[in-house]
Amino acid sequence: MNRALTRRILWGLVAAMLGLASSTTTALERTSPSTADHERFKALQGPFASGPEVTEACLKCHTEAADQLQATTHWTWEYLHPETRQLLGKRHVVNSFCGSVASNEPFCTSCHTGYGWNDMREAPPVAGNRVDCLVCHDTTGDYWKSPTGAGHPVYDMLDLGDSSSRRPSDLAQIARNIGPTNKQNCGSCHFYGGGGDGVKHGDLDSSLIDSSFSLDVHMSPEGADFACADCHTTSAHSVSGSRYLAKARDTQGIDVPGHTDFTRASCESCHGVEPHGSAKLNDHVDQVACQSCHIPEFARGGVATKTWWDWSTAGRLGEDGKPLTIRDDDGNLEYLSTKGSFRHGENVAPEYRWFDGQVRYTLRSDTLDDSRQPIEINKLQGSHDDPDSRIWPFKIMQGKQPYDPINQHLLVNHVYSADNDTALWTNFDWAKALKAGTEYADQPYSGEFAFVETLMHWPITHMVAPAEDALRCSACHAREGRLAALTDFYLPARDRSIWLDRAGWSAALLVLAGSLAHAGGRILTRRRRKRS
């Protein structure tokens, strides 16, 4: 049931209970859920010359909002894992896409929820007016972050480099039309992580903005028509759901409004721990994540996701000495001089792993063992024998990225600079770019570099298919089924045990022998009766 219909039903019930006339109910339906018309606020009439000026106006009423946001991982890009004690977050981790945020500001911080974070060696800005209210609360669709503006919006006409341009955002118009977060707000960063639409996650891309029911039953207007915040509930601007410490197995059941800690973004928080009408299916819930059956493939909305990124081939130029752009037959990028070689996939079947919600990262300070490749950048914790683990679906991202073969660690990949030629995207010189990146990050560097194959796990939790499209039993319970890689437990119809086979056949033969003996006995008895 979509939210608009739910709202109408609730207002109808209220009207019936209070004895309101039908004309009153219609008036209630027309009433905005907000208690304020921001069009009428004098402080928002503008004009505004910058994003921070808009935020100053917002904070005149929303006095605690900046402090709340600045206490969240959306702001700090930092997370101390309570179990592994690793210091994680975008500020510290290395990924298998662009590598490291460090040395690539303000390109990477164009997706920060603030303005002007230009140096990862320092904490984010502390001034309240450096918080970006509009990126999460714009309802016009006209708010554009500059791709190299350290979080600032487009202030001047922007040349996009493909014979098109983008006009500056009308900040006053946007400020007067703010509202609750929606799919476009969240997707402006989360759909485009890794440098393009659908590149990173595989289950998050622009196709979810106006999703078909077959793509995602929750986000589709034909289905529940959820916004991201309907599942990723928020308290004091802190959004639930974390890939650093996921809730892989939720045993608390349905979330009761008013009795929640706002940390759950799980299937069980809505559907409970026995979601099926079949007891046999419910028996699987303890060890199989809902997503494993209900997301049969990812990248299903017509947007391809990257599955391979080889940085070692970057830097090759065309015969004219200019950077190359090569696309495959489907129009996906196959090679860029700035980034190397790629492979993409659509309608990709996930790979399945035991997962207890914990992940251990390979950080740039960690020592590698390059004799064992690929290097797992984020190693999953969990096993069949762990009661907190379940079988989860993942996108496996693979590729090659630079490392120091002497010191045996991943290197800071310095790709962007606005004012000099030290970055790879400017000079196409790996030696020069890596030297600059390691010096910036104060990272030990032998001066020698090579490329190591890496692997990264991305949990699949979106693009939930209709129930009739969920995986059938035979998808896993088969000799070469989807769980072929999980060999640490016995799976009926997939695995064979000579002793179980012998026991089964013996039982079958005993049943057959007993049946024959019983039938023979009945025949003899009948003959004796006839003779007598």
Side-chain angles (χ1 to χ4, degrees), residues 81-162:
H81 197 291
E83 301 296 334
T84 67
R85 307 308 296 172
Q86 285 189 304
L87 190 58
L88 305 174
K90 290 175 67 68
R91 187 177 174 189
H92 302 287
V93 300
V94 179
N95 66 45
S96 53
F97 296 89
C98 288
S100 174
V101 173
S103 84
N104 296 309
E105 314 89 344
F107 184 85
C108 293
T109 54
S110 65
C111 258
H112 186 238
T113 54
Y115 302 120
W117 194 6
N118 291 303
D119 194 335
M120 283 293 112
R121 296 168 298 187
E122 299 177 358
V126 296
N129 69 351
R130 302 291 283 278
V131 166
D132 184 354
C133 304
L134 300 182
V135 71
C136 293
H137 294 286
D138 166 43
T139 65
T140 69
D142 290 329
Y143 185 69
W144 306 104
K145 289 265 204 180
S146 168
T148 58
H152 283 279
V154 175
Y155 294 134
D156 302 301
M157 191 64 73
L158 177 66
D159 181 6
L160 297 177
D162 56 359

Side-chain angles (χ1 to χ4, degrees), residues 301-431:
V303 178
T305 187
K306 271 196 178 76
T307 57
W308 172 265
W309 186 331
D310 184 356
W311 278 99
S312 70
T313 63
R316 179 164 57 91
L317 303 177
E319 293 181 358
D320 58 359
K322 294 182 178 180
L324 294 168
T325 298
I326 302 173
R327 295 184 180 273
D328 62 23
D329 293 340
D330 296 319
N332 301 312
L333 286 170
E334 189 173 86
Y335 180 81
L336 284 174
S337 297
T338 52
K339 297 183 177 181
S341 305
F342 314 111
R343 291 199 292 265
H344 297 77
E346 291 188 59
N347 302 309
V348 183
E351 296 194 34
Y352 302 89
R353 302 289 185 268
W354 288 106
F355 185 44
D356 67 0
Q358 297 186 63
V359 182
R360 178 171 286 279
Y361 276 74
T362 298
L363 304 174
R364 61 178 185 247
S365 59
D366 291 343
T367 301
L368 310 178
D369 179 4
D370 60 5
S371 66
R372 302 180 65 182
Q373 297 188 34
I375 302 296
E376 289 187 273
I377 290 182
N378 60 342
K379 188 175 180 62
L380 304 176
Q381 308 294 305
S383 70
H384 172 264
D385 297 327
D386 177 3
D388 292 326
S389 295
R390 293 201 297 176
I391 296 172
W392 268 67
F394 291 89
K395 169 188 169 178
I396 305 296
M397 178 64 191
Q398 293 183 274
K400 292 182 179 180
Q401 52 200 108
Y403 82 114
D404 186 329
I406 305 302
N407 291 321
Q408 288 282 305
H409 55 225
L410 296 171
L411 291 172
V412 171
N413 192 3
H414 179 47
V415 296
Y416 174 79
S417 178
D419 53 9
N420 58 53
D421 69 345
T422 60
L424 182 68
W425 293 352
T426 304
N427 57 39
F428 302 102
D429 184 335
W430 272 114

Side-chain angles (χ1 to χ4, degrees), residues 422-461:
T422 60
L424 182 68
W425 293 352
T426 304
N427 57 39
F428 302 102
D429 184 335
W430 272 114
K432 195 172 185 179
L434 292 173
K435 181 176 184 295
T438 54
E439 287 178 352
Y440 179 95
D442 194 24
Q443 183 184 33
Y445 181 40
S446 69
E448 295 187 28
F449 69 91
F451 292 86
V452 65
E453 188 169 340
T454 59
L455 176 153
M456 198 169 185
H457 300 88
W458 291 86
I460 299 298
T461 60

